[in-house]
Amino acid sequence: MSVYVYGITRSDHPALPDKAPGVGRPPREVRIFREGDLAAIVSDCPDDLRPKRRDLLAHQQVLTEAGAKGPVLPLRFGSLSEDEEAVRRVLADHAAHYIRQLEELDGRSEYNVKAVHREDEVLRLVLSQDNEARSLAERNRTAGGGSHEDKLRLGELVASAVREREAEDARLIEETLAPLAQRYVPGPEGSGWLANLSFLLGRDRSEEFTAAVEELGRANPHLDIRATGPLPPYSFVGRPDEAGRTAQAAGSPAG
């Protein structure tokens, strides 16, 4: 039977969630097995595993419980291995790599920040700042809507100004928050967000970080900006290519 792998940690981790409910319906029982200085948090894998909300939350809860008392290398939802022996081989073959990463991530968590424009607010903002677009909008309004060509031209001007504003706001978010984090990485492109960044923070910086996100929102009411965390540091776990299926992912609870 395939083994579902939640994460990797040290064998002497003080709070491994043995026998906790895992993914599946009924929930598969979480178990721990150790290989040298490392331990894997696993359960049997349901035959019909899909990224359903209950299973995403179960995956997250197992990692949250384990991570509350010590560092855990979280695998993303859907990480499978052929059997326990295959996981043991990965742990043994790449022990130095995983132990080094556990040391690097000890006491750290991930915050994901996403932002989009509030459409009405950003349109008002760009029209107030772009003289050509504002003048053309006023002429069109005075003319009862304006010609087809003028409407197209206004649309092009506004779209260009919004794109420039998106780039400007993305830089603002990155430049404001990056100094508060130890590391940060961008999320996948084409997601529809003007900013989608994951930040690695020492846990003593979380309040300062979330306060900075809130201040960005207050100072820029045209931005809808959201921070999600603390999360297991999914975005900062590297893996040796040879780890194969054990490290393959189908999705992320962080969204």
Side-chain angles (χ1 to χ4, degrees):
M1 174 179 290
S2 296
V3 173
Y4 186 99
V5 188
Y6 299 84
I8 297 168
T9 187
R10 297 189 183 104
S11 60
D12 60 354
H13 189 291
L16 293 177
D18 203 4
K19 301 188 183 304
V23 298
R25 177 172 286 186
R28 290 350 186 229
E29 187 175 276
V30 173
R31 61 187 185 274
I32 310 301
F33 65 80
R34 293 168 172 82
E35 178 64 34
D37 292 331
L38 296 171
I41 307 169
V42 306
S43 69
D44 291 339
C45 181
D47 293 333
D48 60 345
L49 182 67
R50 297 288 185 276
K52 298 175 182 176
R53 178 174 172 78
R54 66 173 181 268
D55 289 328
L56 293 168
L57 291 175
H59 179 101
Q60 184 89 344
Q61 182 58 38
V62 169
L63 289 169
T64 298
E65 183 178 338
K69 295 293 180 64
V72 175
L73 302 181
L75 298 188
R76 294 181 183 270
F77 180 87
S79 298
L80 308 179
S81 187
E82 294 176 2
D83 52 35
E84 288 191 5
E85 185 55 35
V87 181
R88 290 184 189 276
R89 287 196 301 271
V90 170
L91 296 183
D93 291 347
H94 303 291
H97 169 82
Y98 292 129
I99 290 170
R100 182 171 61 253
Q101 287 216 308
L102 285 164
E103 292 171 351
E104 292 171 353
L105 296 178
D106 194 1
R108 293 160 177 80
S109 56
E110 177 175 335
Y111 278 76
N112 176 255
V113 174
K114 292 183 172 71
V116 293
H117 278 154
R118 302 182 192 276
E119 185 174 350
D120 291 343
E121 294 287 343
V122 78
L123 288 177
R124 280 193 289 269
L125 180 63
V126 299
L127 285 174
S128 72
Q129 295 178 341
D130 189 306
N131 292 333
E132 184 180 0
R134 184 173 64 255
S135 297
L136 182 55
E138 291 172 354
R139 289 201 306 272
N140 286 355
R141 188 164 47 250
T142 301
S147 67
H148 178 67
E149 290 76 11
D150 284 343
K151 289 179 182 177
L152 287 177
R153 177 58 180 158
L154 178 59
E156 291 169 353
L157 289 171
V158 170
S160 176
V162 168
R163 286 195 297 270
E164 290 179 5
R165 190 72 204 192
E166 285 180 345
E168 181 180 337
D169 287 330
R171 285 193 300 270
L172 172 66
I173 292 168
E174 183 174 347
E175 291 171 359
T176 300
L177 299 180
L180 303 177
Q182 294 174 341
R183 291 166 57 194
Y184 69 99
V185 294
E189 295 182 3
S191 59
W193 304 96
L194 68 86
N196 180 7
L197 299 166
S198 290
F199 297 85
L200 183 67
L201 303 177
R203 288 174 183 160
D204 59 343
R205 303 297 298 273
S206 60
E207 290 187 9
E208 181 183 8
F209 184 84
T210 55
V213 174
E214 291 170 1
E215 178 57 30
L216 275 171
R218 284 193 294 269
N220 300 276
H222 64 288
L223 283 179
D224 181 355
I225 182 169
R226 312 169 190 178
T228 303
L231 300 166
Y234 295 102
S235 301
F236 302 93
V237 176
R239 62 184 186 265
D241 293 339
E242 299 88 350
R245 290 191 199 174
T246 303
Q248 294 303 310
S252 170

